[in-house]
Amino acid sequence: MRIKYFLEKRSVAASIILLATVVFTSLSSFAQEHSEATEESENGAHKFTLSIGHAHVHEGIENGEKKWLVMGAWGFNYDYLINSKWSIGLHNDLILEDFTVEKQSGEEEEIAIERERPLATKIIGAYKLDKHLSIMLGAGDEIAKGENYFLSTVGAEYGLHIPGGWEFGAELAYDVKWKAYDTWILGFGISKVISGHHHKHHKG
């Protein structure tokens, strides 16, 4: 039964990755053609992102047995683009299921904790390595009924620019809930970038 469950989860994840690969491949050539025409100063721009993905918890417990859990998750992010390289933002991930996890208490005794649709909210600083790839580092809290946990996070984001201030992207983040448990989150989303400055060019 556990093998069948694991294979089903792997099948879903593989389908998502395959679909994302096809979309990325299609959009990359399209976006590359327009990158020069749409390139402008990002100083002071605002970026809003809505994403959907999966949260992976390897310390999960189901029916009294340890199990790698894969659960649906929504993400909503806001980023302030300081310049073409640096940004700071508020990232939020909501896991859409209740689950039980083994708490990393540092003690020999195992402690199981219940999490009811936890919301992780994080302050994120990001640095863009090139036009598409950014690395992220931040900290925040996971909020849920019963107890909140301080967390630190590290991750990467890959984005493809689309004309009109839109961007299609993928984000992989690793959240460490201190003295509790860890979570991997892989999400795919769409972003809207609103320019903070409008530059007018006049021909001499």
Side-chain angles (χ1 to χ4, degrees):
M1 187 67 180
R2 292 182 61 186
I3 295 176
K4 180 180 179 182
Y5 176 84
F6 179 71
L7 290 176
E8 289 176 352
K9 291 296 184 182
R10 286 189 61 185
S11 178
V12 172
S15 299
I16 292 175
I17 293 173
L18 178 61
L19 176 62
T21 302
V22 173
V23 173
F24 267 118
T25 303
S26 301
L27 288 178
S28 61
S29 57
F30 176 75
Q32 190 171 0
E33 294 176 2
H34 297 270
S35 60
E36 295 298 329
T38 59
E39 187 174 343
E40 60 182 53
S41 174
E42 294 182 332
N43 294 3
H46 306 273
K47 179 180 175 181
F48 299 89
T49 303
L50 179 65
S51 64
I52 187 170
H54 282 93
H56 299 254
V57 179
H58 70 269
E59 304 101 335
I61 298 175
E62 192 171 282
N63 299 323
E65 298 182 355
K66 294 182 181 179
K67 176 177 288 188
W68 185 297
L69 303 178
V70 181
M71 299 163 288
W74 283 98
F76 179 76
N77 305 336
Y78 164 75
D79 294 286
Y80 176 74
L81 308 183
I82 301 171
N83 52 44
S84 61
K85 288 292 185 181
W86 292 96
S87 66
I88 186 169
L90 179 66
H91 290 201
N92 304 278
D93 298 309
L94 175 66
I95 297 179
L96 302 175
E97 300 179 30
D98 301 340
F99 59 95
T100 303
V101 66
E102 179 184 328
K103 184 176 181 180
Q104 299 173 351
S105 61
E107 302 175 358
E108 293 185 2
E109 182 181 357
E110 297 179 358
I111 302 175
I113 55 175
E114 303 287 338
R115 304 305 281 163
E116 297 185 13
R117 297 193 176 189
L119 170 67
T121 181
K122 303 165 279 188
I123 300 295
I124 297 291
Y127 178 77
K128 186 174 287 188
L129 299 175
D130 56 28
K131 288 184 178 181
H132 304 292
L133 183 63
S134 301
I135 54 175
M136 305 178 297
L137 189 67
D141 273 308
E142 182 184 76
I143 304 168
K145 182 179 179 181
E147 189 173 359
N148 300 337
Y149 295 114
F150 173 77
L151 67 86
S152 57
T153 184
V154 62
E157 181 182 50
Y158 188 88
L160 293 173
H161 300 285
I162 306 171
W166 293 93
E167 182 177 308
F168 179 77
E171 179 180 317
L172 177 64
Y174 181 60
D175 293 350
V176 178
K177 287 92 174 183
W178 291 94
K179 296 183 179 181
Y181 67 103
D182 304 337
T183 306
W184 283 98
I185 295 184
L186 175 63
F188 301 92
I190 189 78
S191 303
K192 174 63 177 177
V193 178
I194 301 174
S195 177
H197 302 281
H198 300 280
H199 301 283
K200 294 183 179 180
H201 301 279
H202 301 280
K203 295 182 178 179

